[in-house]
Every structure is written in structure tokens, then in C-alpha cells.
Amino acid sequence: MMKYKAMINHVIQLKKEKPILMWAGTILIIALVSFLIASFFCFPFNNGQVHLGADTGFHINRIISLMEAQQNNVEYPYLFWNQNYNFGYPTPIFYCNLFLYWPAALLTDGMLPVLVYKKYVFGLVWIATMMIGLCSYKVSKRSGYAAILAMLLFMLNTHSITDILRRGGLGELLALVFIPICLAGIYQTMYKDSRRWICLAVGYCGLVLSHNISFILMCIVFAVFALINMKKLWREKIRILNILQAILAALACAWFFIAPMLEQMGAVDMVVSHTFNLGGGLAASAVDLSEIFNFTVDTTVYLNNSPGPFLIFMPLIGFAVKEKRKRNPFIFHCWIIGYASMLMMTKLFPWQLFPFFSFMQFVQRLLPVCIPMLALAGGYYWSVFIRNFKRVEFRILLKTVSVIVILIPTYSMLKVNYDQIYGYPDSMTVEEAQLNVYGETQETAVYNVQQLSSADYLPYDVDVDYKDYREWVKWAVSPSESFIDSSMKRLINDKNVDESEYGHFKFVVKSGPSGQWLTVPRTYYYGYEVDAIKEGEVIATIIPYAAKNTGLVTFDMLESEGPITYDVVYRPTSVQTSSMAFSIAAVKVVLVLYVLERILYYALALTRGFRKASAKSTQRPTNPKRSESRE
């Protein structure tokens, strides 16, 4: 034990004398521990399959579609041209492609889709766990044990097991990478030196590019923290200024994604636009209080509604910690907000009074927000509680036992998923993923379920069987009048359709009478254009519109006695191109301004230090007068 105490004293001394070296060592240790946790969490992937979850195929097909776009020289697609039986789908406008380029590169190099997906999930689990570890180390005032415990609680819980390994919630997993950075930014700007606002900007910028719903929820969390610290913010207005800098920087850097999304929602009436203000929507998905204590993770449960036993009970040790609010107000507030958000999932909360929040789709969306805060609180309060014991041996024992208590039951939960995971085999090819060979629900669906999932971005209230409609357009000899209008018969009868070039739907019309319009088998989104080509030259560019009842691309044909080739293409809109240029410039400006700001700050601090040192050296020592001795 003497050696242990001597080692602890040596570490404390190193923290004071060589803080940079200690930070580097801490990051290395946290990275190693998070790697081990990620390996432990993902071991069910070793059974040779990945579960056929509601969103698994959706995200695998996003990676495939991005690879296809890049192979056809479209570096940042706004529309996946071949999705939904070649009708096209605007997934990139609502799910940012920025974080998919690495898995798309692996797919391009020849790795199979399921293996790419597994490697990507493992990487995200590793990074997310590392981020919560670094955040915990920062907010817990450099407690290594608190960071390790927070990492274990953060990832090894019942909800994450079902959401990531079975549902295929890649968007929520990506959000878990940035939520700890957001929390570190809130801590820095509201509780510490607000001039270091870059974490807040990076966290919220990354979050909006990862998962829209989690971003909105974390904006609400930010507002709650701001209300809690209202007096401090009003008293120290420099904090408000720095927070505004972070908000503007985050919005500017993410504007290339935000602006096109808002533009598309304003131009096309989609299903997603009707998910707001649904009366009773969330109330129907709220659970009984007893469900919070249901820790089942086998395939009888689609998505576990609980953060798990460790996240529920371990942070409760905070009740045994004295002066919680004074000791660490940020952790205290995380503790309160974490438990409050957990209880909001139950029927105790009056969701019917808040119809706007129906955009969440189901109340379990609160768990990615709840889990990081309870993990921070649980790790910190357990470390404080253990420090109260004077005997070093007992402290070591408690730390070891607390880790083992988490690992053993979690292994059992993961083993259940190892035994029961089924769906996409590791050998699945790109073609099989696109054709939905492994999808049971595909037989009755009118759209490509594995590519579109819940199809939130299809036109609203249309009656189109995309699967069969496409075949009629390409092969039918005499299509039914009840399904296809007369203008479509003209296109079919000519049979001169050319789709050999990615991003182009070309066909020849022998003649164009006055007032004739034509509907083509492409789902309409803002950005489509139709080039009229005659004798190899574009004679006109026509702006199409959405057909009634089908939402397909429709345009007015040119009057012509001879044949005209029409080329239907999707081109980036002016908003898309200008917002991309603006965000690229914003990233450069933000980085330069922040670096200059920090350099100026340190230069001024160094100058003040030199002045104080020189002032002390110029002061003459004053010797006290000797008392005169009487002779």
C-alpha cells in the first residue's frame, strides 16, 4: 500500500509540473480503455451476421448509394439517384453524408457491405465512448476512475444494446459521439472559462450533421442549462457573447446541410412535414413506470425502454454525497436533468399537452440525451463516495467490484444477442442489399423498405406502387388507364428510354403537340430540370413540377414536329451550391479567428506575467530600522 500511495503522490506531482504530458497520457489511457469497451460491446458481431433491424438496411444502403454517386463523379450528392427502384430519394438532404465517406471508401475497395457496416459501428462506438471519457475527465476535475466508470455506464446499457445491435440506430450512435462534446461545451461556457467556446460550436455543429432529432433535444437541454444559470449569465455578459459566437459558428459551418433541408421542406409536401403537432402521438408511445425497470434485451423486445439497472441505480449514490450542488454544480444539474428526462418517457408526463414534440416519433428518443448525463453523474458521484473511505485497500476493492458488477451482467446481455442476432450475413453482396433479399416486410410494401425505412421523405398523400409502377413504365405494352395517364402511354409506346448514364433519364418523343404535358417515373424534389435536346444541342431547359396524386416529375413538352430528346436531371440548387461555399469559408474563418483569439489571450497573459515579475525585481527590499540603543 505504501507503493500505491507513493505512485499516487507521484502522479499528483506530475499533474502540477508537466500538465501537457499528463493530458497526453490521459488521452492515451482513455483511448485504450474505450477501445476495450467497444471490443466488448461489439463481440456479438462475431456470429457472422448483423441483425435485420428497422434501420440497418437503410444505413447500409446509404453507404452503398454514396459509393455509387462517387463512382459516377458526384462527390456530394443531394439525391440518391438509384434508390427506391430508380425513382430517386433525397436521403442526403436530411441525413448528412459527411460521416459516411470512410465506410464508402471501404466499400469501394471491395469490402462487403455488412463487414463495412460492422467496422463503422465499431469505430463509432469506440469514438463515442472515448468522448464521454474525455468529457467526464474534464467535468469531474480530472478523476480517472470517474471517466472509466462513465464510459462503462454510457455504452454498456440495455437501451444501447438493443438500439445499436438490433434496431440499427446508426443516427443515434453518431449523435452519441457529439452529445458529450456538447455537454463539455456547456460546462466550459456556463461554468468555467467561456472564452474556450470551441467545444460548444463543434459539438452542436457535429450533432446537427448527425441526427436532427437529437440536435433539437440537445438545444432544449442547452436552454434548460441557460435558465438554470440565468443569473450568472446576466451578471457575466461576456459569457453570453462567447455563447453567441459558438452558436453562430456552429450554424455557419453546418449551413451547407441546414439550408438545403429547409429549402426542400418548403418546396415539397413530404411525409416528414406532417409529423409535427400530432395530438396524442407521443402519449401513445409513453410507457408504464414499470417498463423503466424492464431490463430484457432478447429478441422478444424490439427496443428496450430503459437506460438499464446501472444507470438507474448507480447515480443514486449522489444522495450520499454531501454538498452536491456546491461541490460540482454542473454534475448536479446533469443528475437532475438525466433522471427527469428518464421519467418523461413514462405515462406520468402529460405529453398530450405538448403536441409539437411529436417530431420525436417515440419517447425513447429521450434516452440518448438521458444516458450521457446519468453516466457523468454516476461516474463522478461514485468516485467521490469511494474517496470518503480512508483505507486505500477498501477503495481499490470498491473500484474493482463496481467495474465487475457492470461487466458480468452486460456480458450475459450481449451473449443473448450473439445467439439471437440474425438477418444480413457477412457474405451479403451490394446487389442483395439493394434488392432486399433478406427483407420480410418487402412483399407488401409499395416502396423499397430497406432503402427508405419509414419513407419519411416521400411526397405526402400519394398513391403510387413504386415497385410495380417502374416495371409498367419500362415493359408494359398496354398499361391500365386507371394507373397511368395518356401522356405516360406516349413515353412507353416510343420505348426509347435511356438510363445508362447515372443521374440522367433520357427518352425520345417523336412529336410534341401544343399543350401536351408528360409525367416521368422520377419522384419530384426541388432541383429537377429537363433539358430539351435537338440535333445534339440543348434548345431549352424546362422546370418541372410534381404531378397530382403521384408526386412524380411532370413537365410541359415543347411543341415540335420532329423528334426531341428529353433529359431529366437533378442539379444542385442555388441554395445548395451557395450554402456549401459559405460553410467551407465559415470553417476557415472560425478556425483562424479562434486561433488568433487564443494566441492574443495567451500573449496578453504572458505580458502581464512579465510585468509582474519585473515589478517585483525593481522593488528595493526595505530593511526595518534598528532601534537606537541607549548608551
Side-chain angles (χ1 to χ4, degrees):
M1 288 302 112
M2 294 298 294
K3 290 182 179 179
Y4 177 79
K5 290 181 180 179
M7 183 180 69
I8 295 297
N9 291 332
H10 182 64
V11 171
I12 293 172
Q13 189 176 355
L14 274 177
K15 285 182 179 181
K16 294 178 180 178
E17 295 178 356
K18 299 180 180 179
I20 296 177
L21 181 63
M22 282 301 300
W23 256 111
T26 301
I27 292 172
L28 184 62
I29 293 170
I30 289 175
L32 178 60
V33 173
S34 58
F35 178 84
L36 295 174
I37 293 173
S39 302
F40 180 67
F41 181 86
C42 293
F43 94 80
F45 283 161
N46 292 325
N47 76 342
Q49 300 182 76
V50 68
H51 196 75
L52 182 62
D55 289 344
T56 314
F58 172 70
H59 292 295
I60 289 175
N61 277 285
R62 285 178 63 208
I63 299 170
I64 293 172
S65 296
L66 179 59
M67 177 198 69
E68 288 179 340
Q70 287 184 295
Q71 288 176 339
N72 288 279
N73 301 316
V74 182
E75 286 303 319
Y76 192 89
Y78 288 94
L79 184 85
F80 285 149
W81 186 262
N82 293 333
Q83 282 200 349
N84 199 26
Y85 304 109
N86 293 334
F87 276 80
Y89 196 62
T91 307
I93 294 179
F94 300 91
Y95 274 85
C96 185
N97 290 329
L98 192 61
F99 304 112
L100 290 183
Y101 283 92
W102 174 57
L106 294 177
L107 200 61
T108 303
D109 290 341
M111 188 178 288
L112 292 172
V114 172
L115 296 178
V116 169
Y117 177 81
K118 287 182 176 181
K119 185 167 284 191
Y120 188 45
V121 168
F122 174 81
L124 291 179
V125 170
W126 181 13
I127 297 171
T129 309
M130 186 165 60
M131 289 300 106
I132 196 68
L134 293 172
C135 177
S136 176
Y137 188 76
K138 181 183 182 69
V139 303
S140 65
K141 300 175 183 177
R142 301 184 182 181
S143 171
Y145 171 71
I148 291 172
L149 196 57
M151 288 190 285
L152 291 168
L153 293 172
F154 176 72
M155 193 52 64
L156 305 182
N157 60 78
T158 54
H159 176 74
S160 294
I161 290 172
T162 54
D163 189 46
I164 298 170
L165 297 181
R166 289 224 304 277
R167 178 174 168 266
L170 201 65
E172 287 86 347
L173 175 57
L174 194 54
L176 288 178
V177 172
F178 291 99
I179 288 175
I181 303 175
C182 293
L183 292 173
I186 292 172
Y187 172 74
Q188 190 66 50
T189 52
M190 295 191 190
Y191 297 84
K192 290 294 180 181
D193 184 2
S194 64
R195 288 170 293 193
R196 299 182 180 182
W197 47 263
I198 196 69
C199 272
L200 190 66
V202 170
Y204 275 91
C205 178
L207 193 55
V208 73
L209 300 178
S210 304
H211 195 241
N212 295 334
I213 295 173
S214 297
F215 169 75
I216 296 172
L217 292 175
M218 280 303 295
C219 287
I220 296 171
V221 169
F222 179 84
V224 171
F225 273 103
L227 288 172
I228 291 171
N229 292 278
M230 185 182 294
K231 289 183 180 179
K232 182 194 289 185
L233 294 175
W234 185 253
R235 187 172 61 250
E236 303 172 23
K237 293 184 176 59
I238 188 65
R239 291 186 183 275
I240 298 177
L241 181 62
N242 290 325
I243 288 170
L244 287 175
Q245 285 187 80
I247 293 172
L248 291 175
L251 288 175
C253 293
W255 193 242
F256 76 96
F257 173 70
I258 298 171
M261 178 173 58
L262 296 176
E263 177 192 42
Q264 203 66 229
M265 291 183 72
V268 181
D269 185 21
M270 290 174 285
V271 174
V272 70
S273 301
H274 295 264
T275 58
F276 294 86
N277 294 314
L278 296 179
L282 285 180
S285 67
V287 300
D288 294 324
L289 184 61
S290 59
E291 276 296 302
I292 298 295
F293 301 96
N294 181 3
F295 308 132
T296 305
V297 294
D298 59 26
T299 51
T300 61
V301 177
Y302 163 66
L303 183 64
N304 189 275
N305 300 317
S306 171
F310 314 118
L311 277 171
I312 290 176
F313 296 115
M314 291 187 76
L316 291 177
I317 199 68
F319 285 110
V321 176
K322 296 179 180 179
E323 298 181 337
K324 291 181 289 296
R325 188 169 186 175
K326 186 178 180 181
R327 184 188 291 269
N328 194 321
F330 174 75
I331 292 291
F332 176 76
H333 296 146
C334 283
W335 190 56
I336 299 297
I337 296 171
Y339 276 121
S341 57
M342 181 183 73
L343 292 174
M344 284 173 67
M345 295 191 304
T346 68
K347 294 178 180 178
L348 299 175
F349 189 80
W351 282 112
Q352 60 273 13
L353 301 179
F354 302 92
F356 170 78
F357 286 95
S358 58
F359 71 86
M360 288 166 50
Q361 298 175 327
F362 44 88
V363 294
Q364 289 80 6
R365 298 283 194 189
L366 289 167
L367 281 170
V369 176
C370 160
I371 287 170
M373 288 190 281
L374 287 182
L376 290 175
Y380 176 74
Y381 285 141
W382 263 94
S383 66
V384 172
F385 176 74
I386 290 175
R387 280 203 302 265
N388 291 331
F389 296 96
K390 294 181 180 180
R391 292 190 62 182
V392 176
E393 300 92 335
F394 194 64
R395 277 189 275 173
I396 296 174
L397 179 64
L398 277 178
K399 289 179 180 180
T400 306
V401 169
S402 61
V403 171
I404 293 173
V405 163
I406 295 173
L407 291 178
I408 292 178
T410 304
Y411 173 77
S412 301
M413 297 177 191
L414 292 170
K415 184 65 169 61
V416 167
N417 283 271
Y418 177 87
D419 295 334
Q420 296 184 358
I421 277 180
Y422 66 93
Y424 302 109
D426 289 351
S427 59
M428 183 178 72
T429 64
V430 170
E431 291 74 20
E432 288 174 333
Q434 292 174 316
L435 295 174
N436 311 293
V437 174
Y438 300 94
E440 295 179 0
T441 57
Q442 191 61 38
E443 297 178 2
T444 57
V446 298
Y447 60 87
N448 193 312
V449 173
Q450 297 305 314
Q451 290 182 340
L452 275 60
S453 188
S454 56
D456 291 331
Y457 313 117
L458 282 178
Y460 180 70
D461 196 23
V462 296
D463 184 16
V464 178
D465 189 337
Y466 296 93
K467 183 168 54 178
D468 295 334
Y469 200 112
R470 188 75 187 179
E471 295 305 311
W472 292 339
V473 170
K474 293 177 70 175
W475 308 115
V477 177
S478 55
S480 170
E481 289 287 343
S482 62
F483 289 98
I484 302 177
D485 54 58
S486 58
S487 66
M488 185 62 76
K489 287 206 306 189
R490 177 187 297 279
L491 173 60
I492 294 169
N493 291 335
D494 287 345
K495 295 184 180 178
N496 291 323
V497 178
D498 178 14
E499 295 184 85
S500 59
E501 187 178 356
Y502 182 91
H504 294 266
F505 182 87
K506 294 181 181 179
F507 55 92
V508 178
V509 175
K510 294 178 180 179
S511 62
S514 177
Q516 180 66 50
W517 49 268
L518 192 66
T519 299
V520 297
R522 303 292 307 177
T523 304
Y524 175 81
Y525 298 101
Y526 187 65
Y528 269 109
E529 293 181 353
V530 181
D531 291 335
I533 304 170
K534 198 168 187 178
E535 297 179 356
E537 294 185 0
V538 177
I539 60 174
T541 296
I542 305 167
I543 305 301
Y545 49 92
K548 293 182 179 179
N549 302 323
T550 64
L552 299 179
V553 172
T554 305
F555 67 96
D556 297 323
M557 295 168 56
L558 298 180
E559 185 176 353
S560 173
E561 295 181 357
I564 293 181
T565 299
Y566 290 100
D567 186 8
V568 181
V569 297
Y570 186 89
R571 294 192 175 102
T573 67
S574 58
V575 170
Q576 291 169 359
T577 53
S578 60
S579 62
M580 179 65 76
F582 177 77
S583 288
I584 292 172
V587 170
K588 297 176 181 178
V589 170
V590 168
L591 288 176
V592 170
L593 288 180
Y594 184 77
V595 169
L596 289 176
E597 184 180 311
R598 299 312 300 164
I599 290 173
L600 180 62
Y601 168 74
Y602 286 118
L604 290 173
L606 196 61
T607 304
R608 291 193 193 101
F610 281 138
R611 286 176 180 175
K612 288 180 181 178
S614 60
K616 288 181 180 179
S617 62
T618 54
Q619 287 179 357
R620 293 181 179 178
T622 55
N623 296 324
K625 293 182 180 180
R626 295 182 181 178
S627 58
E628 296 180 359
S629 59
R630 293 181 183 177
E631 295 183 359

